[in-house]
Amino acid sequence: MGDSSPSSPQQEATLQRVPPLPVIDLSKPRYDQGTYVGRAKHFFETANPVNIFVSRKKLEDAVRLVKQYKNNEAPPGTTEQQLWHAKRLYDSAYHPETGEKMFLIGRMSSQVPMNMTIVGCMMTFYRTPAAVVFWQWMNQSFNAIVNYTNRSGDEIIAARQIAVPYIAATTTATLTALGLNQVVSKRLPPLVGRFVPFAAVVAANGINIPLIRQRELKYGIPVLDDDDNRVGTSKRAAQKGIAQVFFSRVTMAMPAMVVPPFIMNTMERRGVFQRMPWMNAPMQICLVGLCLVFATPLCCAIFPQRSSISVSQLEPDLRDSLRRTSLQLKTVYFNKGL
């Protein structure tokens, strides 16, 4: 016969002291994505450079806890703070759709340290053709890694889809920088030359983003109703999403590539770098990094990740179809990408 003795008073008291698991939705961000402040808080957490130093064991523990909670198997006594912390680590290192661990330098948390180094050097060594070619190549190589790492999980990106935008963006950025350097050196003040890398970055983004997402422009992207039901595919939604991404990336680069030139030019005129030439590159990199720490999350948050478009702005065939089948539907939603 089995032991069917009742629990002791001590055991019952212990069970009563264990608080119930919090009820939260780990499929969504912690903060309200319908407000700019909520989106900014979200990106301040996911783009935090500290995340890249989290050990493999801690990442694995975070993944385990998130999966346990979703399967109603989380350890008793798990707090809401522990769950959100685990989700933050999970979101920072794993692809949201495939669940695969992302390449380290392609993660959002690597944006600030990688960009501050590349952009800082690009803005320091901009006067010789060899330096321009090398750092523009480095910048576009990093962009290619970021684009591949953050690709859509339900679509296989062929090597050609990465190679063509990569080559086109690198060529455009390099030619823009070299051409403007020639003009500036002959006709314009030295300060203007410090803005040449920014012009090259804008030109490269104008080529790179539409090319890397050309399939979306050709075939459209899924659009959803208020309940996340797919109601069609729209090229105009793709155009709007790509335009928002382009604007966010240019705005993100602007503080780091516009503010430091004024400071560096002032220091150069006062002879600081003549007395201490070794300070040039470190100072530039630090200034760029300081700007990027704030610009990266604040500019990623300009537009909601779940963007929207009015039904009246959709393609005529999709618009007319929705008006026949969903009379109350005025707005549809889509993932704009990063």
PDB file of all heavy atoms in Angstrom, residues 188-221:
ATOM      1  N   LEU A 188      36.031  74.289 -51.019  1.00  0.00           N
ATOM      2  CA  LEU A 188      35.275  74.519 -49.788  1.00  0.00           C
ATOM      3  C   LEU A 188      36.182  74.482 -48.563  1.00  0.00           C
ATOM      4  O   LEU A 188      37.285  73.925 -48.594  1.00  0.00           O
ATOM      5  CB  LEU A 188      34.182  73.462 -49.662  1.00  0.00           C
ATOM      6  CG  LEU A 188      33.131  73.477 -50.793  1.00  0.00           C
ATOM      7  CD1 LEU A 188      32.196  72.292 -50.665  1.00  0.00           C
ATOM      8  CD2 LEU A 188      32.346  74.785 -50.792  1.00  0.00           C
ATOM      9  N   PRO A 189      35.715  75.064 -47.435  1.00  0.00           N
ATOM     10  CA  PRO A 189      36.513  75.073 -46.197  1.00  0.00           C
ATOM     11  C   PRO A 189      36.764  73.661 -45.674  1.00  0.00           C
ATOM     12  O   PRO A 189      35.984  72.739 -45.943  1.00  0.00           O
ATOM     13  CB  PRO A 189      35.628  75.868 -45.216  1.00  0.00           C
ATOM     14  CG  PRO A 189      34.680  76.628 -46.071  1.00  0.00           C
ATOM     15  CD  PRO A 189      34.450  75.810 -47.295  1.00  0.00           C
ATOM     16  N   PRO A 190      37.831  73.473 -44.895  1.00  0.00           N
ATOM     17  CA  PRO A 190      38.161  72.142 -44.366  1.00  0.00           C
ATOM     18  C   PRO A 190      37.044  71.518 -43.533  1.00  0.00           C
ATOM     19  O   PRO A 190      36.895  70.286 -43.530  1.00  0.00           O
ATOM     20  CB  PRO A 190      39.405  72.407 -43.506  1.00  0.00           C
ATOM     21  CG  PRO A 190      40.015  73.646 -44.089  1.00  0.00           C
ATOM     22  CD  PRO A 190      38.859  74.478 -44.569  1.00  0.00           C
ATOM     23  N   LEU A 191      36.267  72.349 -42.823  1.00  0.00           N
ATOM     24  CA  LEU A 191      35.182  71.809 -41.996  1.00  0.00           C
ATOM     25  C   LEU A 191      34.211  70.991 -42.835  1.00  0.00           C
ATOM     26  O   LEU A 191      33.713  69.948 -42.391  1.00  0.00           O
ATOM     27  CB  LEU A 191      34.442  72.949 -41.290  1.00  0.00           C
ATOM     28  CG  LEU A 191      33.178  72.546 -40.502  1.00  0.00           C
ATOM     29  CD1 LEU A 191      33.534  71.581 -39.380  1.00  0.00           C
ATOM     30  CD2 LEU A 191      32.484  73.789 -39.938  1.00  0.00           C
ATOM     31  N   VAL A 192      33.924  71.451 -44.039  1.00  0.00           N
ATOM     32  CA  VAL A 192      32.966  70.748 -44.902  1.00  0.00           C
ATOM     33  C   VAL A 192      33.457  69.336 -45.216  1.00  0.00           C
ATOM     34  O   VAL A 192      32.665  68.398 -45.343  1.00  0.00           O
ATOM     35  CB  VAL A 192      32.725  71.543 -46.201  1.00  0.00           C
ATOM     36  CG1 VAL A 192      31.750  70.804 -47.111  1.00  0.00           C
ATOM     37  CG2 VAL A 192      32.206  72.938 -45.873  1.00  0.00           C
ATOM     38  N   GLY A 193      34.776  69.180 -45.312  1.00  0.00           N
ATOM     39  CA  GLY A 193      35.329  67.860 -45.609  1.00  0.00           C
ATOM     40  C   GLY A 193      34.997  66.828 -44.558  1.00  0.00           C
ATOM     41  O   GLY A 193      34.921  65.625 -44.855  1.00  0.00           O
ATOM     42  N   ARG A 194      34.794  67.261 -43.319  1.00  0.00           N
ATOM     43  CA  ARG A 194      34.467  66.322 -42.246  1.00  0.00           C
ATOM     44  C   ARG A 194      33.064  65.729 -42.402  1.00  0.00           C
ATOM     45  O   ARG A 194      32.723  64.746 -41.742  1.00  0.00           O
ATOM     46  CB  ARG A 194      34.602  67.014 -40.887  1.00  0.00           C
ATOM     47  CG  ARG A 194      36.050  67.360 -40.527  1.00  0.00           C
ATOM     48  CD  ARG A 194      36.143  67.913 -39.116  1.00  0.00           C
ATOM     49  NE  ARG A 194      37.517  68.215 -38.742  1.00  0.00           N
ATOM     50  CZ  ARG A 194      38.369  67.342 -38.210  1.00  0.00           C
ATOM     51  NH1 ARG A 194      37.975  66.088 -38.018  1.00  0.00           N
ATOM     52  NH2 ARG A 194      39.594  67.699 -37.888  1.00  0.00           N
ATOM     53  N   PHE A 195      32.221  66.361 -43.231  1.00  0.00           N
ATOM     54  CA  PHE A 195      30.866  65.853 -43.433  1.00  0.00           C
ATOM     55  C   PHE A 195      30.772  64.918 -44.639  1.00  0.00           C
ATOM     56  O   PHE A 195      29.696  64.375 -44.907  1.00  0.00           O
ATOM     57  CB  PHE A 195      29.885  67.016 -43.606  1.00  0.00           C
ATOM     58  CG  PHE A 195      29.770  67.892 -42.393  1.00  0.00           C
ATOM     59  CD1 PHE A 195      30.405  69.119 -42.331  1.00  0.00           C
ATOM     60  CD2 PHE A 195      29.038  67.471 -41.292  1.00  0.00           C
ATOM     61  CE1 PHE A 195      30.305  69.925 -41.211  1.00  0.00           C
ATOM     62  CE2 PHE A 195      28.935  68.266 -40.160  1.00  0.00           C
ATOM     63  CZ  PHE A 195      29.562  69.500 -40.120  1.00  0.00           C
ATOM     64  N   VAL A 196      31.856  64.740 -45.361  1.00  0.00           N
ATOM     65  CA  VAL A 196      31.841  63.864 -46.536  1.00  0.00           C
ATOM     66  C   VAL A 196      31.451  62.427 -46.162  1.00  0.00           C
ATOM     67  O   VAL A 196      30.641  61.801 -46.871  1.00  0.00           O
ATOM     68  CB  VAL A 196      33.201  63.903 -47.258  1.00  0.00           C
ATOM     69  CG1 VAL A 196      33.302  62.774 -48.287  1.00  0.00           C
ATOM     70  CG2 VAL A 196      33.392  65.253 -47.938  1.00  0.00           C
ATOM     71  N   PRO A 197      31.986  61.840 -45.071  1.00  0.00           N
ATOM     72  CA  PRO A 197      31.569  60.473 -44.727  1.00  0.00           C
ATOM     73  C   PRO A 197      30.064  60.344 -44.504  1.00  0.00           C
ATOM     74  O   PRO A 197      29.470  59.323 -44.858  1.00  0.00           O
ATOM     75  CB  PRO A 197      32.353  60.184 -43.435  1.00  0.00           C
ATOM     76  CG  PRO A 197      33.571  61.046 -43.540  1.00  0.00           C
ATOM     77  CD  PRO A 197      33.085  62.308 -44.201  1.00  0.00           C
ATOM     78  N   PHE A 198      29.441  61.383 -43.924  1.00  0.00           N
ATOM     79  CA  PHE A 198      27.993  61.329 -43.701  1.00  0.00           C
ATOM     80  C   PHE A 198      27.246  61.293 -45.028  1.00  0.00           C
ATOM     81  O   PHE A 198      26.289  60.521 -45.203  1.00  0.00           O
ATOM     82  CB  PHE A 198      27.534  62.529 -42.862  1.00  0.00           C
ATOM     83  CG  PHE A 198      26.047  62.583 -42.648  1.00  0.00           C
ATOM     84  CD1 PHE A 198      25.394  61.564 -41.994  1.00  0.00           C
ATOM     85  CD2 PHE A 198      25.311  63.667 -43.095  1.00  0.00           C
ATOM     86  CE1 PHE A 198      24.014  61.593 -41.787  1.00  0.00           C
ATOM     87  CE2 PHE A 198      23.940  63.718 -42.893  1.00  0.00           C
ATOM     88  CZ  PHE A 198      23.296  62.685 -42.240  1.00  0.00           C
ATOM     89  N   ALA A 199      27.665  62.105 -45.983  1.00  0.00           N
ATOM     90  CA  ALA A 199      27.035  62.099 -47.309  1.00  0.00           C
ATOM     91  C   ALA A 199      27.178  60.732 -47.962  1.00  0.00           C
ATOM     92  O   ALA A 199      26.245  60.232 -48.613  1.00  0.00           O
ATOM     93  CB  ALA A 199      27.660  63.185 -48.188  1.00  0.00           C
ATOM     94  N   ALA A 200      28.339  60.094 -47.782  1.00  0.00           N
ATOM     95  CA  ALA A 200      28.563  58.766 -48.355  1.00  0.00           C
ATOM     96  C   ALA A 200      27.653  57.724 -47.710  1.00  0.00           C
ATOM     97  O   ALA A 200      27.125  56.836 -48.392  1.00  0.00           O
ATOM     98  CB  ALA A 200      30.027  58.371 -48.189  1.00  0.00           C
ATOM     99  N   VAL A 201      27.459  57.832 -46.392  1.00  0.00           N
ATOM    100  CA  VAL A 201      26.587  56.888 -45.681  1.00  0.00           C
ATOM    101  C   VAL A 201      25.143  57.043 -46.147  1.00  0.00           C
ATOM    102  O   VAL A 201      24.430  56.050 -46.366  1.00  0.00           O
ATOM    103  CB  VAL A 201      26.700  57.107 -44.157  1.00  0.00           C
ATOM    104  CG1 VAL A 201      25.573  56.396 -43.426  1.00  0.00           C
ATOM    105  CG2 VAL A 201      28.047  56.606 -43.655  1.00  0.00           C
ATOM    106  N   VAL A 202      24.686  58.274 -46.310  1.00  0.00           N
ATOM    107  CA  VAL A 202      23.320  58.512 -46.784  1.00  0.00           C
ATOM    108  C   VAL A 202      23.133  57.916 -48.180  1.00  0.00           C
ATOM    109  O   VAL A 202      22.139  57.234 -48.462  1.00  0.00           O
ATOM    110  CB  VAL A 202      23.004  60.022 -46.803  1.00  0.00           C
ATOM    111  CG1 VAL A 202      21.643  60.278 -47.452  1.00  0.00           C
ATOM    112  CG2 VAL A 202      23.009  60.588 -45.384  1.00  0.00           C
ATOM    113  N   ALA A 203      24.091  58.160 -49.062  1.00  0.00           N
ATOM    114  CA  ALA A 203      24.005  57.629 -50.422  1.00  0.00           C
ATOM    115  C   ALA A 203      23.990  56.101 -50.420  1.00  0.00           C
ATOM    116  O   ALA A 203      23.217  55.470 -51.153  1.00  0.00           O
ATOM    117  CB  ALA A 203      25.171  58.149 -51.257  1.00  0.00           C
ATOM    118  N   ALA A 204      24.831  55.493 -49.587  1.00  0.00           N
ATOM    119  CA  ALA A 204      24.898  54.032 -49.526  1.00  0.00           C
ATOM    120  C   ALA A 204      23.599  53.434 -48.996  1.00  0.00           C
ATOM    121  O   ALA A 204      23.117  52.415 -49.505  1.00  0.00           O
ATOM    122  CB  ALA A 204      26.068  53.599 -48.645  1.00  0.00           C
ATOM    123  N   ASN A 205      23.012  54.059 -47.976  1.00  0.00           N
ATOM    124  CA  ASN A 205      21.742  53.573 -47.445  1.00  0.00           C
ATOM    125  C   ASN A 205      20.640  53.675 -48.485  1.00  0.00           C
ATOM    126  O   ASN A 205      19.742  52.824 -48.548  1.00  0.00           O
ATOM    127  CB  ASN A 205      21.348  54.359 -46.190  1.00  0.00           C
ATOM    128  CG  ASN A 205      21.993  53.800 -44.929  1.00  0.00           C
ATOM    129  OD1 ASN A 205      22.160  52.596 -44.799  1.00  0.00           O
ATOM    130  ND2 ASN A 205      22.347  54.674 -44.015  1.00  0.00           N
ATOM    131  N   GLY A 206      20.689  54.728 -49.287  1.00  0.00           N
ATOM    132  CA  GLY A 206      19.692  54.895 -50.337  1.00  0.00           C
ATOM    133  C   GLY A 206      19.745  53.794 -51.380  1.00  0.00           C
ATOM    134  O   GLY A 206      18.752  53.509 -52.059  1.00  0.00           O
ATOM    135  N   ILE A 207      20.909  53.157 -51.526  1.00  0.00           N
ATOM    136  CA  ILE A 207      21.069  52.043 -52.452  1.00  0.00           C
ATOM    137  C   ILE A 207      20.862  50.699 -51.747  1.00  0.00           C
ATOM    138  O   ILE A 207      20.151  49.816 -52.234  1.00  0.00           O
ATOM    139  CB  ILE A 207      22.480  52.070 -53.082  1.00  0.00           C
ATOM    140  CG1 ILE A 207      22.675  53.343 -53.914  1.00  0.00           C
ATOM    141  CG2 ILE A 207      22.721  50.834 -53.926  1.00  0.00           C
ATOM    142  CD1 ILE A 207      21.818  53.420 -55.145  1.00  0.00           C
ATOM    143  N   ASN A 208      21.473  50.570 -50.583  1.00  0.00           N
ATOM    144  CA  ASN A 208      21.538  49.289 -49.884  1.00  0.00           C
ATOM    145  C   ASN A 208      20.162  48.792 -49.428  1.00  0.00           C
ATOM    146  O   ASN A 208      19.789  47.636 -49.680  1.00  0.00           O
ATOM    147  CB  ASN A 208      22.469  49.428 -48.679  1.00  0.00           C
ATOM    148  CG  ASN A 208      22.771  48.087 -48.030  1.00  0.00           C
ATOM    149  OD1 ASN A 208      22.570  47.045 -48.633  1.00  0.00           O
ATOM    150  ND2 ASN A 208      23.236  48.120 -46.800  1.00  0.00           N
ATOM    151  N   ILE A 209      19.405  49.646 -48.753  1.00  0.00           N
ATOM    152  CA  ILE A 209      18.134  49.201 -48.167  1.00  0.00           C
ATOM    153  C   ILE A 209      17.125  48.769 -49.220  1.00  0.00           C
ATOM    154  O   ILE A 209      16.540  47.683 -49.116  1.00  0.00           O
ATOM    155  CB  ILE A 209      17.569  50.294 -47.238  1.00  0.00           C
ATOM    156  CG1 ILE A 209      18.535  50.541 -46.073  1.00  0.00           C
ATOM    157  CG2 ILE A 209      16.196  49.881 -46.693  1.00  0.00           C
ATOM    158  CD1 ILE A 209      18.169  51.716 -45.201  1.00  0.00           C
ATOM    159  N   PRO A 210      16.867  49.580 -50.268  1.00  0.00           N
ATOM    160  CA  PRO A 210      15.911  49.108 -51.290  1.00  0.00           C
ATOM    161  C   PRO A 210      16.374  47.839 -52.003  1.00  0.00           C
ATOM    162  O   PRO A 210      15.553  46.972 -52.325  1.00  0.00           O
ATOM    163  CB  PRO A 210      15.834  50.293 -52.271  1.00  0.00           C
ATOM    164  CG  PRO A 210      16.264  51.476 -51.482  1.00  0.00           C
ATOM    165  CD  PRO A 210      17.300  50.960 -50.530  1.00  0.00           C
ATOM    166  N   LEU A 211      17.689  47.702 -52.249  1.00  0.00           N
ATOM    167  CA  LEU A 211      18.174  46.512 -52.949  1.00  0.00           C
ATOM    168  C   LEU A 211      18.074  45.261 -52.088  1.00  0.00           C
ATOM    169  O   LEU A 211      17.689  44.193 -52.565  1.00  0.00           O
ATOM    170  CB  LEU A 211      19.621  46.725 -53.397  1.00  0.00           C
ATOM    171  CG  LEU A 211      19.825  47.566 -54.663  1.00  0.00           C
ATOM    172  CD1 LEU A 211      21.314  47.720 -54.969  1.00  0.00           C
ATOM    173  CD2 LEU A 211      19.110  46.938 -55.855  1.00  0.00           C
ATOM    174  N   ILE A 212      18.421  45.381 -50.800  1.00  0.00           N
ATOM    175  CA  ILE A 212      18.370  44.204 -49.928  1.00  0.00           C
ATOM    176  C   ILE A 212      16.932  43.760 -49.719  1.00  0.00           C
ATOM    177  O   ILE A 212      16.657  42.595 -49.428  1.00  0.00           O
ATOM    178  CB  ILE A 212      19.062  44.500 -48.569  1.00  0.00           C
ATOM    179  CG1 ILE A 212      19.410  43.195 -47.833  1.00  0.00           C
ATOM    180  CG2 ILE A 212      18.171  45.333 -47.675  1.00  0.00           C
ATOM    181  CD1 ILE A 212      20.516  42.429 -48.443  1.00  0.00           C
ATOM    182  N   ARG A 213      15.988  44.693 -49.889  1.00  0.00           N
ATOM    183  CA  ARG A 213      14.571  44.355 -49.696  1.00  0.00           C
ATOM    184  C   ARG A 213      13.792  44.454 -51.009  1.00  0.00           C
ATOM    185  O   ARG A 213      12.591  44.706 -51.004  1.00  0.00           O
ATOM    186  CB  ARG A 213      13.983  45.275 -48.630  1.00  0.00           C
ATOM    187  CG  ARG A 213      14.663  45.106 -47.282  1.00  0.00           C
ATOM    188  CD  ARG A 213      14.151  46.057 -46.227  1.00  0.00           C
ATOM    189  NE  ARG A 213      12.759  45.831 -45.924  1.00  0.00           N
ATOM    190  CZ  ARG A 213      12.092  46.466 -44.962  1.00  0.00           C
ATOM    191  NH1 ARG A 213      12.722  47.355 -44.213  1.00  0.00           N
ATOM    192  NH2 ARG A 213      10.816  46.219 -44.748  1.00  0.00           N
ATOM    193  N   GLN A 214      14.479  44.224 -52.128  1.00  0.00           N
ATOM    194  CA  GLN A 214      13.840  44.353 -53.432  1.00  0.00           C
ATOM    195  C   GLN A 214      12.714  43.340 -53.628  1.00  0.00           C
ATOM    196  O   GLN A 214      11.738  43.612 -54.344  1.00  0.00           O
ATOM    197  CB  GLN A 214      14.882  44.197 -54.538  1.00  0.00           C
ATOM    198  CG  GLN A 214      15.648  42.887 -54.509  1.00  0.00           C
ATOM    199  CD  GLN A 214      16.742  42.828 -55.555  1.00  0.00           C
ATOM    200  OE1 GLN A 214      16.474  42.988 -56.736  1.00  0.00           O
ATOM    201  NE2 GLN A 214      17.979  42.623 -55.127  1.00  0.00           N
ATOM    202  N   ARG A 215      12.824  42.182 -53.003  1.00  0.00           N
ATOM    203  CA  ARG A 215      11.764  41.180 -53.118  1.00  0.00           C
ATOM    204  C   ARG A 215      10.451  41.711 -52.548  1.00  0.00           C
ATOM    205  O   ARG A 215       9.372  41.444 -53.088  1.00  0.00           O
ATOM    206  CB  ARG A 215      12.179  39.889 -52.415  1.00  0.00           C
ATOM    207  CG  ARG A 215      11.178  38.761 -52.569  1.00  0.00           C
ATOM    208  CD  ARG A 215      11.667  37.489 -51.905  1.00  0.00           C
ATOM    209  NE  ARG A 215      10.671  36.430 -52.015  1.00  0.00           N
ATOM    210  CZ  ARG A 215      10.523  35.645 -53.074  1.00  0.00           C
ATOM    211  NH1 ARG A 215      11.321  35.800 -54.119  1.00  0.00           N
ATOM    212  NH2 ARG A 215       9.600  34.707 -53.094  1.00  0.00           N
ATOM    213  N   GLU A 216      10.546  42.464 -51.449  1.00  0.00           N
ATOM    214  CA  GLU A 216       9.342  43.048 -50.845  1.00  0.00           C
ATOM    215  C   GLU A 216       8.720  44.084 -51.774  1.00  0.00           C
ATOM    216  O   GLU A 216       7.492  44.172 -51.894  1.00  0.00           O
ATOM    217  CB  GLU A 216       9.692  43.693 -49.499  1.00  0.00           C
ATOM    218  CG  GLU A 216      10.245  42.707 -48.478  1.00  0.00           C
ATOM    219  CD  GLU A 216      10.684  43.404 -47.208  1.00  0.00           C
ATOM    220  OE1 GLU A 216      10.199  44.517 -46.942  1.00  0.00           O
ATOM    221  OE2 GLU A 216      11.529  42.848 -46.481  1.00  0.00           O
ATOM    222  N   LEU A 217       9.575  44.876 -52.420  1.00  0.00           N
ATOM    223  CA  LEU A 217       9.059  45.878 -53.354  1.00  0.00           C
ATOM    224  C   LEU A 217       8.407  45.228 -54.567  1.00  0.00           C
ATOM    225  O   LEU A 217       7.463  45.778 -55.151  1.00  0.00           O
ATOM    226  CB  LEU A 217      10.201  46.799 -53.803  1.00  0.00           C
ATOM    227  CG  LEU A 217      10.797  47.709 -52.728  1.00  0.00           C
ATOM    228  CD1 LEU A 217      12.042  48.408 -53.255  1.00  0.00           C
ATOM    229  CD2 LEU A 217       9.774  48.732 -52.254  1.00  0.00           C
ATOM    230  N   LYS A 218       8.905  44.068 -54.955  1.00  0.00           N
ATOM    231  CA  LYS A 218       8.383  43.387 -56.148  1.00  0.00           C
ATOM    232  C   LYS A 218       7.104  42.611 -55.864  1.00  0.00           C
ATOM    233  O   LYS A 218       6.158  42.648 -56.674  1.00  0.00           O
ATOM    234  CB  LYS A 218       9.454  42.449 -56.700  1.00  0.00           C
ATOM    235  CG  LYS A 218       9.069  41.774 -58.004  1.00  0.00           C
ATOM    236  CD  LYS A 218      10.217  40.927 -58.535  1.00  0.00           C
ATOM    237  CE  LYS A 218       9.841  40.272 -59.865  1.00  0.00           C
ATOM    238  NZ  LYS A 218      10.973  39.457 -60.390  1.00  0.00           N
ATOM    239  N   TYR A 219       7.065  41.920 -54.708  1.00  0.00           N
ATOM    240  CA  TYR A 219       5.924  41.045 -54.421  1.00  0.00           C
ATOM    241  C   TYR A 219       5.038  41.549 -53.277  1.00  0.00           C
ATOM    242  O   TYR A 219       3.942  41.020 -53.083  1.00  0.00           O
ATOM    243  CB  TYR A 219       6.421  39.637 -54.079  1.00  0.00           C
ATOM    244  CG  TYR A 219       7.177  38.986 -55.209  1.00  0.00           C
ATOM    245  CD1 TYR A 219       8.569  38.844 -55.154  1.00  0.00           C
ATOM    246  CD2 TYR A 219       6.523  38.514 -56.336  1.00  0.00           C
ATOM    247  CE1 TYR A 219       9.269  38.233 -56.189  1.00  0.00           C
ATOM    248  CE2 TYR A 219       7.221  37.909 -57.382  1.00  0.00           C
ATOM    249  CZ  TYR A 219       8.588  37.783 -57.299  1.00  0.00           C
ATOM    250  OH  TYR A 219       9.279  37.195 -58.322  1.00  0.00           O
ATOM    251  N   GLY A 220       5.504  42.525 -52.515  1.00  0.00           N
ATOM    252  CA  GLY A 220       4.718  43.027 -51.394  1.00  0.00           C
ATOM    253  C   GLY A 220       5.030  42.305 -50.097  1.00  0.00           C
ATOM    254  O   GLY A 220       5.767  41.317 -50.065  1.00  0.00           O
ATOM    255  N   ILE A 221       4.455  42.812 -49.006  1.00  0.00           N
ATOM    256  CA  ILE A 221       4.616  42.206 -47.685  1.00  0.00           C
ATOM    257  C   ILE A 221       3.237  41.951 -47.078  1.00  0.00           C
ATOM    258  O   ILE A 221       2.252  42.598 -47.449  1.00  0.00           O
ATOM    259  CB  ILE A 221       5.448  43.105 -46.737  1.00  0.00           C
ATOM    260  CG1 ILE A 221       4.792  44.488 -46.586  1.00  0.00           C
ATOM    261  CG2 ILE A 221       6.867  43.230 -47.229  1.00  0.00           C
ATOM    262  CD1 ILE A 221       5.484  45.390 -45.600  1.00  0.00           C
TER     263      ILE A 221
END
